[in-house]
Each structure stands twice: as C-alpha cells, then as structure tokens.
Amino acid sequence: MKLKIIIFIVIILPLNLAVQAQDDIKTNTSKEIQQKLTAKDYENLVTKLKGGDTNIDFRKIRLAYAETKDFSGYGGSESRKAMNVALDKKDYKAALKVIEERLKINYVDIDAHFTAFQAYKELDKKKEADFHRTIARGLIDSILENADGKTAKTAFFVISTREEYIIMSYYGFRVGSQSLAREDGHTFDVLSGTNPDTKESVKMYFNIDKVFGKF
C-alpha cells in the first residue's frame, strides 16, 4: 500500500481549509516568515510537542527546522520508501521503527507523522494515532495559512520539495511540470498540474527561499 496523501487529506484535514476566503490571503513573505529563528527554537518546540503541547506554532517549528544542521529540502525519500514497504507488509511495528529514526532527524516530516497515525490506528492505539494526526494536520495548516498559491505574492511557503507535492495532492492535482521563477528578491518553484477527474489545470507558486538558500 503506497502512502496516499489524498487519502491522508480526507482523513486528516478539515474541508473548510480548501475554500479559504480571498480576503484572508496575505502576502506570504511577511515578517513572521522572515523572522530569525535558530536550531534552539526548533529543539524547544520539539520538546513542547513531544510533551503533548499540540498548540505550538507549527509554522515556526517548520521554519526553525530549516536552521538546523540536519535540514535538507530534498531528503526523506528512502525513509518514505521503507515506511511504505512496512505498511504493505502490515508490519506496523517495523514502520514505527523507521518513523522513530526519521523523526529524530526531522520532526516536521509530514509523511512520517501520517504514517505513524496509520500504524498506531491499525495497532488500536488511539491516543498515539490522534497525536500524530494532530501534528500532521498542524503542519499542513501552517503551509495553507494565508496563501492560495495562485501568484508569487500569495505563494505557499515551503521548506522542502516534498511539501510542494503534498499541497498539490491536497488540491487533487497531479504534477506535470516544474519551473523556477524569481520575483522581488524571492525564489519560487512553479508547479503545473492537472486534476485527473475534472481535467482542471493549475499553476501553483511555492516560495522556496529556505530551500534555495541552503545552496
């Protein structure tokens, strides 16, 4: 069973996020995004989260992770593959072992938290499943907040290319092509996609200042 983010969205996220009012969309290069965060901020937020405080600022923890030595805007594919193999075999304990190692490196990995939710749900551990479900939802919400991706000024602010594909899947689009753009001193991935059911086409902007800045 391959990890399907579209199923994840149906299970995890409230539907009203998909129809955010245009009046709520703001330029996604605000001081909040540009604020100087450190690896210590990330460590402190992870500690709070592990302690059960799911009311933390999920955007802040994502941005703070980008300041750590482990940060990579392109990593995690091997872990995702291992998680999927374990899920295919219904070896949920093995999947959780992979997840545990992945979260040591990146506690804001959406795939890892969603897979943990799946595994704990199958193991009938509701408390743990709900915990990881809440984190996955918080991380997704923090990307969707105040953005619609339709223009560079309202781009989704991401810290990895994987987040781009998760958001495209959220809206039901299959990615067809990707290009790089620069505007007002910022760098963007522009993804073109098509909804296989409605045949609707779309072009979405993702601010990759954090990813691009790493290089």
Side-chain angles (χ1 to χ4, degrees):
M1 176 180 64
K2 292 185 178 181
L3 192 142
K4 296 184 181 296
I5 293 300
I6 196 65
I7 296 175
F8 152 61
I9 296 302
V10 172
I11 296 173
I12 296 285
L13 294 178
L15 295 178
N16 60 352
L17 280 174
V19 290
Q20 186 177 12
Q22 286 299 307
D23 290 343
D24 293 335
I25 304 298
K26 301 174 183 178
T27 300
N28 222 350
T29 52
S30 64
K31 290 181 180 179
E32 178 191 7
I33 287 176
Q34 296 175 350
Q35 64 181 305
K36 183 60 179 176
L37 297 168
T38 67
K40 188 63 177 177
D41 291 316
Y42 170 74
E43 292 172 10
N44 290 339
L45 288 166
V46 169
T47 298
K48 287 183 179 181
L49 198 48
K50 287 182 176 179
D53 183 2
T54 54
N55 292 315
I56 66 158
D57 187 330
F58 282 97
R59 175 171 291 198
K60 188 173 181 179
I61 194 174
R62 286 175 50 246
L63 297 179
Y65 171 68
E67 304 303 323
T68 69
K69 64 179 178 59
D70 291 324
F71 171 65
S72 170
Y74 300 97
S77 59
E78 290 185 6
S79 293
R80 283 195 300 274
K81 182 178 179 180
M83 288 186 284
N84 288 333
V85 168
L87 286 179
D88 282 341
K89 296 179 178 179
K90 300 186 184 299
D91 191 345
Y92 305 115
K93 291 183 178 180
L96 289 171
K97 190 171 182 179
V98 175
I99 291 164
E100 182 181 359
E101 292 305 310
R102 177 60 182 162
L103 293 181
K104 286 179 182 178
I105 299 171
N106 179 4
Y107 207 78
V108 295
D109 186 310
I110 297 170
D111 290 312
H113 286 292
F114 174 54
T115 310
F117 159 69
Q118 287 184 303
Y120 279 122
K121 187 176 180 224
E122 293 296 333
L123 292 171
D124 201 26
K125 293 187 176 183
K126 186 177 185 303
K127 181 179 178 180
E128 291 86 347
D130 287 347
F131 176 68
H132 287 282
R133 172 181 174 173
T134 299
I135 294 175
R137 181 171 60 196
L139 293 169
I140 287 281
D141 286 355
S142 76
I143 302 172
L144 298 176
E145 182 182 7
N146 295 330
D148 62 12
K150 294 180 179 179
T151 68
K153 292 188 181 300
T154 59
F156 297 111
F157 197 97
V158 296
I159 63 168
S160 71
T161 53
R162 179 58 183 162
E163 287 184 343
E164 298 174 13
Y165 283 81
I166 288 174
I167 296 303
M168 291 294 282
S169 292
Y170 170 81
Y171 286 107
F173 293 108
R174 184 174 297 162
V175 177
S177 65
Q178 177 267 337
S179 61
L180 196 66
R182 292 186 176 87
E183 186 173 320
D184 296 330
H186 300 282
T187 306
F188 304 88
D189 266 345
V190 184
L191 269 58
S192 297
T194 304
N195 185 308
D197 296 321
T198 65
K199 307 307 178 184
E200 176 188 1
S201 296
V202 71
K203 184 176 289 187
M204 286 193 178
Y205 287 77
F206 296 87
N207 184 310
I208 57 169
D209 284 350
K210 288 294 184 183
V211 180
F212 202 74
K214 187 73 174 178
F215 301 96

